[in-house]
Amino acid sequence: MSGVTAATYGWLYREFTDDTDATWLYACFIRDLSPEVALQRIGVAPRPLGESGFGVAAYRADGGAVLIECGWAGIIYDRADLLSVGTVAASVFATIKNDGFAYCVDGDRITTFDLYSYPYRSGSDPDRLQADVEALGMDVDGELPEFPSDVVSRALALAERTTGVHLSSARYAGPALTGPTDHLGPYQ
């Protein structure tokens, strides 16, 4: 997975970024899990989205599954530790109000950080991803003169590197298993 770069996921970043460069993206990469099991773990039943349109799309990907959330609650980010039980999961979110990355192994949050504040990372082993973060050109020590313009794409590439799960644009354009999240907090 070392050949994965920010360019690998530029298309996904652009899919969730509007003409004013406002991004609203929640994605979670889970190794060796099917879309069906991934939805089950977060309490989402496969069926069409409700009137609100809030829900999760689960894509079969090389090496596992990728979940994309339609909504504002961050359910797949907040539940990345549940998704990682018996495996690994990496979740990325970027909104107009906040952003973050979480890497979880077997239910444990190994490292989490804000995409623009890697020096302030936390978790049970916050330095575990250091080599990959450096290889992707992310701001490791807070001393870059300016932030990379594609920090979200770099975080998505980090998710692939750490899980071994690859979502191609062709798979994303294909069918997904969907389920509504209206019954989950904070929507309820």
Side-chain angles (χ1 to χ4, degrees), residues 34-99:
S34 69
E36 295 83 4
V37 172
L39 288 180
Q40 180 183 32
R41 284 193 180 182
I42 61 171
V44 174
R47 62 178 189 261
L49 301 183
E51 264 186 54
S52 71
F54 298 142
V56 175
Y59 296 88
R60 188 166 307 282
D62 296 336
V66 173
L67 303 182
I68 304 288
E69 185 172 339
C70 304
W72 51 264
I75 291 166
I76 61 176
Y77 182 81
D78 293 339
R79 297 179 182 193
D81 52 349
L82 294 173
L83 288 162
S84 75
V85 172
T87 188
V88 298
S91 192
V92 176
F93 83 96
T95 69
I96 57 173
K97 295 184 179 184
N98 209 349
D99 56 73

Short mmCIF file of all heavy atoms in Angstrom, two decimals, residues 34-99:
data_model
loop_
_atom_site.label_atom_id
_atom_site.label_comp_id
_atom_site.label_asym_id
_atom_site.label_seq_id
_atom_site.Cartn_x
_atom_site.Cartn_y
_atom_site.Cartn_z
N SER A 34 -17.62 -7.43 5.17
CA SER A 34 -18.56 -7.22 4.07
C SER A 34 -19.41 -5.99 4.36
O SER A 34 -19.56 -5.59 5.53
CB SER A 34 -19.46 -8.44 3.91
OG SER A 34 -20.35 -8.53 5.02
N PRO A 35 -19.98 -5.39 3.33
CA PRO A 35 -20.89 -4.26 3.57
C PRO A 35 -22.04 -4.61 4.51
O PRO A 35 -22.42 -3.82 5.36
CB PRO A 35 -21.39 -3.91 2.16
CG PRO A 35 -20.28 -4.33 1.25
CD PRO A 35 -19.75 -5.60 1.89
N GLU A 36 -22.57 -5.83 4.38
CA GLU A 36 -23.68 -6.26 5.22
C GLU A 36 -23.29 -6.27 6.70
O GLU A 36 -24.01 -5.76 7.56
CB GLU A 36 -24.17 -7.67 4.81
CG GLU A 36 -24.75 -7.74 3.41
CD GLU A 36 -23.70 -7.88 2.29
OE1 GLU A 36 -22.49 -8.00 2.58
OE2 GLU A 36 -24.11 -7.86 1.12
N VAL A 37 -22.15 -6.87 7.01
CA VAL A 37 -21.69 -6.95 8.40
C VAL A 37 -21.33 -5.56 8.93
O VAL A 37 -21.62 -5.23 10.09
CB VAL A 37 -20.50 -7.93 8.53
CG1 VAL A 37 -19.89 -7.87 9.92
CG2 VAL A 37 -20.95 -9.35 8.21
N ALA A 38 -20.73 -4.73 8.10
CA ALA A 38 -20.38 -3.37 8.52
C ALA A 38 -21.63 -2.60 8.94
O ALA A 38 -21.65 -1.97 10.01
CB ALA A 38 -19.64 -2.64 7.41
N LEU A 39 -22.68 -2.66 8.14
CA LEU A 39 -23.93 -1.96 8.50
C LEU A 39 -24.51 -2.54 9.78
O LEU A 39 -24.96 -1.80 10.66
CB LEU A 39 -24.94 -2.05 7.36
CG LEU A 39 -24.66 -1.22 6.12
CD1 LEU A 39 -25.75 -1.41 5.08
CD2 LEU A 39 -24.50 0.26 6.46
N GLN A 40 -24.50 -3.85 9.90
CA GLN A 40 -25.04 -4.51 11.09
C GLN A 40 -24.32 -4.03 12.35
O GLN A 40 -24.95 -3.76 13.37
CB GLN A 40 -24.92 -6.02 10.94
CG GLN A 40 -25.45 -6.80 12.11
CD GLN A 40 -25.23 -8.30 11.94
OE1 GLN A 40 -24.24 -8.73 11.34
NE2 GLN A 40 -26.16 -9.07 12.46
N ARG A 41 -23.01 -3.90 12.28
CA ARG A 41 -22.23 -3.50 13.45
C ARG A 41 -22.58 -2.11 13.97
O ARG A 41 -22.45 -1.83 15.15
CB ARG A 41 -20.73 -3.54 13.15
CG ARG A 41 -20.20 -4.94 13.14
CD ARG A 41 -18.71 -4.94 13.16
NE ARG A 41 -18.20 -6.31 13.14
CZ ARG A 41 -16.93 -6.61 13.20
NH1 ARG A 41 -16.02 -5.66 13.27
NH2 ARG A 41 -16.56 -7.87 13.17
N ILE A 42 -23.03 -1.24 13.09
CA ILE A 42 -23.39 0.11 13.53
C ILE A 42 -24.89 0.28 13.71
O ILE A 42 -25.38 1.39 13.93
CB ILE A 42 -22.80 1.20 12.60
CG1 ILE A 42 -23.32 1.06 11.18
CG2 ILE A 42 -21.29 1.19 12.66
CD1 ILE A 42 -22.96 2.22 10.27
N GLY A 43 -25.64 -0.81 13.62
CA GLY A 43 -27.07 -0.76 13.87
C GLY A 43 -27.90 -0.21 12.73
O GLY A 43 -28.96 0.37 12.95
N VAL A 44 -27.45 -0.42 11.50
CA VAL A 44 -28.17 0.07 10.33
C VAL A 44 -28.67 -1.12 9.51
O VAL A 44 -27.89 -2.00 9.14
CB VAL A 44 -27.26 0.97 9.45
CG1 VAL A 44 -27.94 1.36 8.16
CG2 VAL A 44 -26.85 2.21 10.24
N ALA A 45 -29.97 -1.15 9.27
CA ALA A 45 -30.57 -2.22 8.48
C ALA A 45 -30.57 -1.83 7.00
O ALA A 45 -30.91 -0.70 6.66
CB ALA A 45 -32.00 -2.49 8.93
N PRO A 46 -30.18 -2.76 6.13
CA PRO A 46 -30.17 -2.46 4.69
C PRO A 46 -31.59 -2.23 4.17
O PRO A 46 -32.45 -3.11 4.27
CB PRO A 46 -29.57 -3.71 4.05
CG PRO A 46 -28.90 -4.44 5.16
CD PRO A 46 -29.64 -4.10 6.40
N ARG A 47 -31.84 -1.03 3.69
CA ARG A 47 -33.11 -0.67 3.05
C ARG A 47 -32.95 0.73 2.48
O ARG A 47 -31.98 1.41 2.79
CB ARG A 47 -34.28 -0.80 4.01
CG ARG A 47 -34.25 0.09 5.21
CD ARG A 47 -35.52 -0.11 6.05
NE ARG A 47 -35.59 0.88 7.08
CZ ARG A 47 -35.23 0.70 8.33
NH1 ARG A 47 -34.75 -0.46 8.72
NH2 ARG A 47 -35.35 1.66 9.21
N PRO A 48 -33.90 1.20 1.71
CA PRO A 48 -33.80 2.55 1.15
C PRO A 48 -33.75 3.61 2.25
O PRO A 48 -34.30 3.41 3.34
CB PRO A 48 -35.07 2.69 0.31
CG PRO A 48 -35.48 1.28 0.00
CD PRO A 48 -35.07 0.47 1.20
N LEU A 49 -33.12 4.73 1.94
CA LEU A 49 -33.05 5.83 2.89
C LEU A 49 -34.44 6.43 3.06
O LEU A 49 -35.26 6.41 2.13
CB LEU A 49 -32.07 6.90 2.41
CG LEU A 49 -30.63 6.45 2.20
CD1 LEU A 49 -29.77 7.64 1.80
CD2 LEU A 49 -30.07 5.77 3.43
N GLY A 50 -34.71 6.97 4.22
CA GLY A 50 -36.00 7.59 4.50
C GLY A 50 -36.11 8.97 3.91
O GLY A 50 -35.27 9.42 3.13
N GLU A 51 -37.16 9.69 4.33
CA GLU A 51 -37.42 11.03 3.82
C GLU A 51 -36.28 12.00 4.08
O GLU A 51 -36.00 12.87 3.27
CB GLU A 51 -38.69 11.60 4.47
CG GLU A 51 -39.92 11.40 3.63
CD GLU A 51 -41.11 12.10 4.26
OE1 GLU A 51 -41.02 13.32 4.54
OE2 GLU A 51 -42.12 11.42 4.45
N SER A 52 -35.61 11.86 5.21
CA SER A 52 -34.53 12.79 5.56
C SER A 52 -33.33 12.64 4.63
O SER A 52 -32.57 13.58 4.46
CB SER A 52 -34.06 12.54 6.99
OG SER A 52 -33.35 11.32 7.08
N GLY A 53 -33.14 11.44 4.08
CA GLY A 53 -31.97 11.18 3.25
C GLY A 53 -30.74 10.83 4.04
O GLY A 53 -29.67 10.57 3.48
N PHE A 54 -30.84 10.83 5.39
CA PHE A 54 -29.70 10.49 6.23
C PHE A 54 -29.51 8.98 6.24
O PHE A 54 -30.46 8.22 6.42
CB PHE A 54 -29.89 10.97 7.67
CG PHE A 54 -30.01 12.46 7.80
CD1 PHE A 54 -30.89 13.02 8.70
CD2 PHE A 54 -29.23 13.32 7.03
CE1 PHE A 54 -31.00 14.39 8.84
CE2 PHE A 54 -29.33 14.68 7.16
CZ PHE A 54 -30.22 15.22 8.06
N GLY A 55 -28.26 8.56 6.05
CA GLY A 55 -27.99 7.13 6.05
C GLY A 55 -26.55 6.84 5.71
O GLY A 55 -25.70 7.72 5.69
N VAL A 56 -26.31 5.56 5.45
CA VAL A 56 -24.97 5.09 5.14
C VAL A 56 -25.04 4.25 3.87
O VAL A 56 -25.95 3.44 3.70
CB VAL A 56 -24.41 4.24 6.30
CG1 VAL A 56 -23.07 3.65 5.93
CG2 VAL A 56 -24.28 5.07 7.56
N ALA A 57 -24.06 4.46 3.00
CA ALA A 57 -23.88 3.62 1.82
C ALA A 57 -22.65 2.76 2.07
O ALA A 57 -21.60 3.28 2.44
CB ALA A 57 -23.69 4.48 0.57
N ALA A 58 -22.81 1.45 1.91
CA ALA A 58 -21.71 0.51 2.15
C ALA A 58 -21.27 -0.08 0.82
O ALA A 58 -22.08 -0.69 0.11
CB ALA A 58 -22.16 -0.59 3.11
N TYR A 59 -20.00 0.11 0.48
CA TYR A 59 -19.44 -0.34 -0.79
C TYR A 59 -18.50 -1.52 -0.56
O TYR A 59 -17.67 -1.49 0.35
CB TYR A 59 -18.65 0.79 -1.46
CG TYR A 59 -19.50 1.95 -1.85
CD1 TYR A 59 -19.74 2.98 -0.94
CD2 TYR A 59 -20.08 2.03 -3.10
CE1 TYR A 59 -20.53 4.06 -1.29
CE2 TYR A 59 -20.88 3.10 -3.45
CZ TYR A 59 -21.10 4.10 -2.54
OH TYR A 59 -21.90 5.17 -2.88
N ARG A 60 -18.64 -2.53 -1.40
CA ARG A 60 -17.66 -3.61 -1.40
C ARG A 60 -16.40 -3.04 -2.06
O ARG A 60 -16.46 -2.41 -3.11
CB ARG A 60 -18.18 -4.80 -2.20
CG ARG A 60 -17.31 -6.03 -2.08
CD ARG A 60 -18.01 -7.29 -2.58
NE ARG A 60 -19.32 -7.53 -2.00
CZ ARG A 60 -19.55 -8.04 -0.79
NH1 ARG A 60 -18.53 -8.34 -0.02
NH2 ARG A 60 -20.77 -8.24 -0.35
N ALA A 61 -15.27 -3.21 -1.41
CA ALA A 61 -14.01 -2.66 -1.90
C ALA A 61 -12.95 -3.75 -1.88
O ALA A 61 -13.14 -4.78 -1.24
CB ALA A 61 -13.58 -1.49 -1.02
N ASP A 62 -11.85 -3.53 -2.57
CA ASP A 62 -10.74 -4.48 -2.53
C ASP A 62 -10.22 -4.54 -1.10
O ASP A 62 -9.79 -3.52 -0.56
CB ASP A 62 -9.62 -4.05 -3.47
CG ASP A 62 -10.04 -4.06 -4.93
OD1 ASP A 62 -10.98 -4.79 -5.29
OD2 ASP A 62 -9.43 -3.31 -5.72
N GLY A 63 -10.30 -5.71 -0.48
CA GLY A 63 -9.79 -5.89 0.88
C GLY A 63 -10.80 -5.68 1.98
O GLY A 63 -10.48 -5.84 3.16
N GLY A 64 -12.04 -5.30 1.65
CA GLY A 64 -13.04 -5.11 2.70
C GLY A 64 -14.20 -4.27 2.23
O GLY A 64 -14.73 -4.46 1.15
N ALA A 65 -14.58 -3.31 3.07
CA ALA A 65 -15.73 -2.45 2.77
C ALA A 65 -15.37 -1.00 3.08
O ALA A 65 -14.50 -0.71 3.91
CB ALA A 65 -16.93 -2.86 3.60
N VAL A 66 -16.06 -0.09 2.40
CA VAL A 66 -15.95 1.34 2.69
C VAL A 66 -17.37 1.86 2.90
O VAL A 66 -18.26 1.61 2.09
CB VAL A 66 -15.26 2.11 1.55
CG1 VAL A 66 -15.30 3.62 1.80
CG2 VAL A 66 -13.82 1.65 1.38
N LEU A 67 -17.55 2.57 4.01
CA LEU A 67 -18.83 3.20 4.32
C LEU A 67 -18.72 4.70 4.05
O LEU A 67 -17.71 5.32 4.39
CB LEU A 67 -19.19 3.00 5.79
CG LEU A 67 -19.28 1.57 6.31
CD1 LEU A 67 -19.69 1.57 7.78
CD2 LEU A 67 -20.25 0.75 5.49
N ILE A 68 -19.76 5.25 3.44
CA ILE A 68 -19.86 6.68 3.21
C ILE A 68 -21.17 7.13 3.85
O ILE A 68 -22.23 6.58 3.55
CB ILE A 68 -19.88 7.03 1.70
CG1 ILE A 68 -18.66 6.47 0.96
CG2 ILE A 68 -20.04 8.54 1.50
CD1 ILE A 68 -17.36 7.16 1.25
N GLU A 69 -21.08 8.11 4.72
CA GLU A 69 -22.28 8.58 5.42
C GLU A 69 -22.90 9.77 4.71
O GLU A 69 -22.21 10.70 4.31
CB GLU A 69 -21.91 8.97 6.85
CG GLU A 69 -23.11 9.35 7.69
CD GLU A 69 -22.76 9.55 9.15
OE1 GLU A 69 -21.72 9.02 9.61
OE2 GLU A 69 -23.53 10.23 9.84
N CYS A 70 -24.22 9.71 4.57
CA CYS A 70 -25.00 10.83 4.05
C CYS A 70 -25.69 11.47 5.24
O CYS A 70 -26.65 10.91 5.77
CB CYS A 70 -26.04 10.33 3.05
SG CYS A 70 -25.36 9.39 1.69
N GLY A 71 -25.18 12.58 5.70
CA GLY A 71 -25.74 13.23 6.89
C GLY A 71 -24.68 14.03 7.59
O GLY A 71 -23.58 14.21 7.09
N TRP A 72 -25.00 14.49 8.80
CA TRP A 72 -24.11 15.39 9.52
C TRP A 72 -23.68 14.86 10.89
O TRP A 72 -22.95 15.53 11.62
CB TRP A 72 -24.79 16.74 9.72
CG TRP A 72 -26.17 16.65 10.29
CD1 TRP A 72 -27.34 16.64 9.59
CD2 TRP A 72 -26.54 16.51 11.67
NE1 TRP A 72 -28.41 16.52 10.44
CE2 TRP A 72 -27.94 16.43 11.73
CE3 TRP A 72 -25.83 16.45 12.86
CZ2 TRP A 72 -28.64 16.29 12.93
CZ3 TRP A 72 -26.53 16.30 14.06
CH2 TRP A 72 -27.91 16.23 14.08
N ALA A 73 -24.13 13.67 11.27
CA ALA A 73 -23.92 13.19 12.64
C ALA A 73 -22.56 12.55 12.89
O ALA A 73 -22.13 12.46 14.04
CB ALA A 73 -25.02 12.21 13.02
N GLY A 74 -21.88 12.07 11.88
CA GLY A 74 -20.59 11.42 12.09
C GLY A 74 -20.70 10.04 12.71
O GLY A 74 -19.81 9.60 13.44
N ILE A 75 -21.76 9.34 12.42
CA ILE A 75 -22.01 8.03 13.01
C ILE A 75 -20.89 7.04 12.69
O ILE A 75 -20.40 6.34 13.57
CB ILE A 75 -23.39 7.49 12.57
CG1 ILE A 75 -24.48 8.35 13.23
CG2 ILE A 75 -23.55 6.02 12.90
CD1 ILE A 75 -25.84 8.18 12.65
N ILE A 76 -20.43 7.00 11.44
CA ILE A 76 -19.39 6.02 11.09
C ILE A 76 -18.03 6.41 11.66
O ILE A 76 -17.20 5.55 11.92
CB ILE A 76 -19.31 5.74 9.58
CG1 ILE A 76 -18.95 7.00 8.78
CG2 ILE A 76 -20.60 5.12 9.08
CD1 ILE A 76 -18.75 6.76 7.29
N TYR A 77 -17.81 7.68 11.90
CA TYR A 77 -16.56 8.10 12.54
C TYR A 77 -16.60 7.74 14.02
O TYR A 77 -15.66 7.16 14.56
CB TYR A 77 -16.35 9.61 12.37
CG TYR A 77 -15.05 10.08 12.98
CD1 TYR A 77 -13.86 9.94 12.30
CD2 TYR A 77 -15.03 10.65 14.25
CE1 TYR A 77 -12.65 10.36 12.86
CE2 TYR A 77 -13.83 11.07 14.82
CZ TYR A 77 -12.65 10.91 14.12
OH TYR A 77 -11.46 11.32 14.68
N ASP A 78 -17.70 8.07 14.67
CA ASP A 78 -17.84 7.80 16.10
C ASP A 78 -17.85 6.30 16.42
O ASP A 78 -17.52 5.91 17.53
CB ASP A 78 -19.11 8.43 16.65
CG ASP A 78 -19.04 9.95 16.63
OD1 ASP A 78 -17.92 10.50 16.57
OD2 ASP A 78 -20.11 10.59 16.66
N ARG A 79 -18.23 5.48 15.45
CA ARG A 79 -18.33 4.04 15.69
C ARG A 79 -17.23 3.24 15.00
O ARG A 79 -17.35 2.03 14.84
CB ARG A 79 -19.71 3.54 15.26
CG ARG A 79 -20.80 4.20 16.09
CD ARG A 79 -22.16 3.78 15.72
NE ARG A 79 -23.10 4.53 16.56
CZ ARG A 79 -24.36 4.26 16.68
NH1 ARG A 79 -24.87 3.23 16.04
NH2 ARG A 79 -25.14 4.99 17.45
N ALA A 80 -16.15 3.91 14.62
CA ALA A 80 -15.03 3.21 13.97
C ALA A 80 -14.45 2.13 14.87
O ALA A 80 -14.04 1.08 14.39
CB ALA A 80 -13.95 4.20 13.56
N ASP A 81 -14.45 2.37 16.19
CA ASP A 81 -13.94 1.35 17.10
C ASP A 81 -14.81 0.09 17.05
O ASP A 81 -14.29 -1.03 17.04
CB ASP A 81 -13.81 1.88 18.52
CG ASP A 81 -15.06 2.55 19.05
OD1 ASP A 81 -16.01 2.81 18.28
OD2 ASP A 81 -15.09 2.83 20.27
N LEU A 82 -16.13 0.22 16.97
CA LEU A 82 -17.02 -0.94 16.83
C LEU A 82 -16.79 -1.66 15.51
O LEU A 82 -16.83 -2.89 15.44
CB LEU A 82 -18.49 -0.51 16.91
CG LEU A 82 -18.98 0.06 18.22
CD1 LEU A 82 -20.40 0.58 18.09
CD2 LEU A 82 -18.90 -1.00 19.31
N LEU A 83 -16.57 -0.89 14.46
CA LEU A 83 -16.32 -1.49 13.14
C LEU A 83 -15.01 -2.25 13.11
O LEU A 83 -14.84 -3.16 12.30
CB LEU A 83 -16.34 -0.41 12.07
CG LEU A 83 -17.73 0.16 11.77
CD1 LEU A 83 -17.63 1.49 11.04
CD2 LEU A 83 -18.53 -0.84 10.96
N SER A 84 -14.08 -1.92 13.99
CA SER A 84 -12.75 -2.55 13.96
C SER A 84 -12.63 -3.82 14.79
O SER A 84 -11.58 -4.46 14.79
CB SER A 84 -11.69 -1.55 14.44
OG SER A 84 -11.74 -1.39 15.85
N VAL A 85 -13.67 -4.21 15.50
CA VAL A 85 -13.59 -5.40 16.35
C VAL A 85 -13.21 -6.61 15.48
O VAL A 85 -13.86 -6.92 14.50
CB VAL A 85 -14.91 -5.65 17.10
CG1 VAL A 85 -14.88 -6.99 17.83
CG2 VAL A 85 -15.18 -4.51 18.07
N GLY A 86 -12.08 -7.24 15.83
CA GLY A 86 -11.59 -8.38 15.07
C GLY A 86 -10.86 -8.02 13.80
O GLY A 86 -10.44 -8.90 13.04
N THR A 87 -10.67 -6.74 13.55
CA THR A 87 -10.03 -6.28 12.31
C THR A 87 -9.47 -4.87 12.53
O THR A 87 -9.17 -4.50 13.65
CB THR A 87 -11.02 -6.35 11.12
OG1 THR A 87 -10.32 -6.07 9.91
CG2 THR A 87 -12.20 -5.42 11.27
N VAL A 88 -9.32 -4.10 11.46
CA VAL A 88 -8.89 -2.71 11.56
C VAL A 88 -9.83 -1.82 10.77
O VAL A 88 -10.42 -2.25 9.78
CB VAL A 88 -7.42 -2.48 11.07
CG1 VAL A 88 -6.44 -3.26 11.91
CG2 VAL A 88 -7.28 -2.84 9.62
N ALA A 89 -9.96 -0.58 11.23
CA ALA A 89 -10.79 0.40 10.52
C ALA A 89 -10.10 1.76 10.62
O ALA A 89 -9.45 2.07 11.62
CB ALA A 89 -12.18 0.48 11.14
N ALA A 90 -10.25 2.53 9.58
CA ALA A 90 -9.76 3.92 9.57
C ALA A 90 -10.88 4.80 9.05
O ALA A 90 -11.46 4.51 8.01
CB ALA A 90 -8.51 4.06 8.71
N SER A 91 -11.17 5.84 9.79
CA SER A 91 -12.27 6.72 9.44
C SER A 91 -11.77 8.14 9.26
O SER A 91 -10.92 8.61 10.03
CB SER A 91 -13.34 6.65 10.53
OG SER A 91 -14.54 7.26 10.10
N VAL A 92 -12.32 8.82 8.26
CA VAL A 92 -11.94 10.18 7.92
C VAL A 92 -13.21 11.01 7.86
O VAL A 92 -14.21 10.56 7.30
CB VAL A 92 -11.24 10.24 6.54
CG1 VAL A 92 -10.95 11.68 6.13
CG2 VAL A 92 -10.00 9.39 6.52
N PHE A 93 -13.17 12.21 8.42
CA PHE A 93 -14.27 13.12 8.16
C PHE A 93 -13.72 14.52 7.97
O PHE A 93 -12.69 14.90 8.53
CB PHE A 93 -15.34 13.06 9.25
CG PHE A 93 -15.08 13.88 10.48
CD1 PHE A 93 -15.64 15.16 10.61
CD2 PHE A 93 -14.33 13.39 11.52
CE1 PHE A 93 -15.41 15.91 11.75
CE2 PHE A 93 -14.10 14.14 12.67
CZ PHE A 93 -14.64 15.41 12.78
N ALA A 94 -14.41 15.26 7.14
CA ALA A 94 -14.08 16.65 6.88
C ALA A 94 -15.38 17.37 6.59
O ALA A 94 -16.11 17.00 5.66
CB ALA A 94 -13.13 16.78 5.69
N THR A 95 -15.69 18.36 7.41
CA THR A 95 -16.88 19.18 7.21
C THR A 95 -16.47 20.64 7.28
O THR A 95 -15.33 20.96 7.59
CB THR A 95 -17.96 18.90 8.29
OG1 THR A 95 -17.50 19.39 9.55
CG2 THR A 95 -18.29 17.42 8.38
N ILE A 96 -17.42 21.51 7.04
CA ILE A 96 -17.11 22.94 7.11
C ILE A 96 -16.83 23.38 8.55
O ILE A 96 -16.28 24.43 8.76
CB ILE A 96 -18.24 23.78 6.49
CG1 ILE A 96 -19.59 23.50 7.17
CG2 ILE A 96 -18.34 23.54 5.01
CD1 ILE A 96 -20.72 24.40 6.73
N LYS A 97 -17.19 22.52 9.53
CA LYS A 97 -16.98 22.89 10.94
C LYS A 97 -15.84 22.14 11.62
O LYS A 97 -15.30 22.63 12.60
CB LYS A 97 -18.26 22.63 11.73
CG LYS A 97 -19.41 23.51 11.29
CD LYS A 97 -20.61 23.29 12.15
CE LYS A 97 -21.72 24.22 11.70
NZ LYS A 97 -22.87 24.10 12.55
N ASN A 98 -15.46 20.96 11.14
CA ASN A 98 -14.48 20.16 11.84
C ASN A 98 -13.91 19.09 10.91
O ASN A 98 -14.40 18.91 9.79
CB ASN A 98 -15.12 19.50 13.07
CG ASN A 98 -14.14 19.26 14.19
OD1 ASN A 98 -12.94 19.38 14.02
ND2 ASN A 98 -14.67 18.89 15.34
N ASP A 99 -12.91 18.35 11.40
CA ASP A 99 -12.32 17.27 10.62
C ASP A 99 -11.61 16.32 11.57
O ASP A 99 -11.35 16.66 12.71
CB ASP A 99 -11.32 17.82 9.58
CG ASP A 99 -10.25 18.67 10.24
OD1 ASP A 99 -9.36 18.10 10.91
OD2 ASP A 99 -10.29 19.90 10.10
#
